[in-house]
Amino acid sequence: MAQVSRITLPLMLRLPAEFHLQMLGHCLHGLPDEACGLLAGDPVTGDVTAIYRTRNVADSARYYTVDPREHLRADRDAESHGSSIIGVFHSHTHTDAYPSPTDVSQAPDPSWHYVLVSLRDTHPVVRSYRIAEGRIMEESVVLKPHELTPS
Amino acid sequence: MPVDVRLPTVLRSQAGGQASVPVDGNTIGDVLRTLVGEHPGLKGQVLTNDGALHKFVNVYVNDDDVRYLQSLDTPVKDGDEISILPAVAGGMGATAEG
């Protein structure tokens, strides 16, 4: 698909720490199957402003499919908050946090961030990529600390 | 009778950058065929060469996935909102390294 020029933007995903934890929790809760979800935010800066933990309707340890109706609800919710869906995360239960051939061949949008959570080892590993025209480019994941409310 | 069709980001460049386009039709099939006719860049992304719904997209009438209705024969009426979103899928695959 088109819009490959978007990947010339800085390769960075800026993820609030609480979303990072929610993502890991969702992936661990999904075991033994793969888990998945969507990320909303700013497509230019890569700032994530919302996370949607979705059902894996493939019900599989080797494949995931984001529940289409939850995708629609997430898309509308993001739009209502002035943002958009900018990426997807999913777990690999027994392999590295690296896009598989299946991930690459089915990547829906070259402007999206593709976050992989590996649960192979004791400690989960989180990495993020851009995938365009079959090419895989890793990007930085910057964890943003919790914002303290002024007293 | 035009209905609004919401397009995903990845397809908007094929429709003049519009997020939503009005399209005439009485069924989802009518609407999508007209949409592709008016925006040929969408050909092969929404419908297959055989005219079937492409497996890499999901199409909704309001809140419902048309694959769980009557697919391309699903009727549409004035005021309905049609949404097209990419199917989001993948996974480590069938092989150990896949």
Side-chain angles (χ1 to χ4, degrees):
Chain A
M1 293 187 177
Q3 299 188 359
V4 175
S5 61
R6 284 179 176 236
I7 62 171
T8 59
L9 294 169
L11 295 173
M12 183 181 296
L13 183 73
R14 293 167 54 80
L15 188 65
E18 62 265 41
F19 294 163
H20 179 255
L21 289 174
Q22 289 175 18
M23 186 171 66
L24 293 182
H26 184 59
C27 290
L28 290 167
H29 189 258
L31 285 170
D33 290 344
E34 292 194 1
C36 55
L38 297 164
L39 306 172
D42 186 325
V44 175
T45 65
D47 276 283
V48 177
T49 54
I51 181 173
Y52 301 95
R53 291 164 283 186
T54 60
R55 196 162 72 87
N56 173 11
V57 293
D59 290 328
S60 167
R62 293 190 174 278
Y63 298 98
Y64 80 92
T65 300
V66 170
D67 183 321
R69 291 189 69 176
E70 292 183 23
H71 183 183
L72 179 65
R73 283 197 288 270
D75 188 73
R76 286 178 173 166
D77 185 71
E79 188 175 270
S80 74
H81 288 88
S83 62
S84 58
I85 300 297
I86 63 168
V88 58
F89 70 88
H90 77 279
S91 59
H92 281 179
T93 58
H94 293 88
T95 56
D96 286 336
Y98 190 80
S100 70
T102 305
D103 293 328
V104 174
S105 67
Q106 299 194 36
D109 189 328
S111 72
W112 275 18
H113 303 262
Y114 294 87
V115 178
L116 272 294
V117 179
S118 173
L119 303 177
R120 182 187 59 187
D121 302 321
T122 305
H123 296 290
V125 175
V126 177
R127 295 167 73 180
S128 186
Y129 304 86
R130 298 295 185 105
I131 301 173
E133 297 182 332
R135 287 197 307 139
I136 301 168
M137 291 150 286
E138 185 164 10
E139 63 180 355
S140 303
V141 178
V142 177
L143 292 186
K144 296 163 64 179
H146 291 278
E147 291 183 7
L148 297 176
T149 305
S151 56
Chain B
M1 176 189 61
V3 292
D4 283 331
V5 180
R6 295 175 68 234
L7 298 172
T9 309
V10 71
L11 295 183
R12 290 176 189 171
S13 64
Q14 306 299 327
Q18 301 173 91
S20 179
V21 293
V23 181
D24 281 314
N26 294 315
T27 66
I28 285 293
D30 288 345
V31 168
L32 296 182
R33 284 187 288 272
T34 302
L35 176 71
V36 169
E38 292 177 355
H39 303 285
L42 295 172
K43 191 176 181 180
Q45 312 224 37
V46 176
L47 296 172
T48 67
N49 289 337
D50 297 334
L53 190 58
H54 203 296
K55 67 178 181 179
F56 290 134
V57 296
N58 295 318
V59 177
Y60 310 82
V61 177
N62 302 318
D63 295 336
D64 296 315
D65 185 334
V66 300
R67 286 193 176 91
Y68 296 96
L69 299 173
Q70 298 170 58
S71 194
L72 294 179
D73 294 328
T74 303
V76 296
K77 61 182 186 304
D78 195 18
D80 281 344
E81 182 181 72
I82 314 302
S83 301
I84 302 174
L85 288 176
V88 184
M92 68 181 179
T95 65
E97 295 303 315

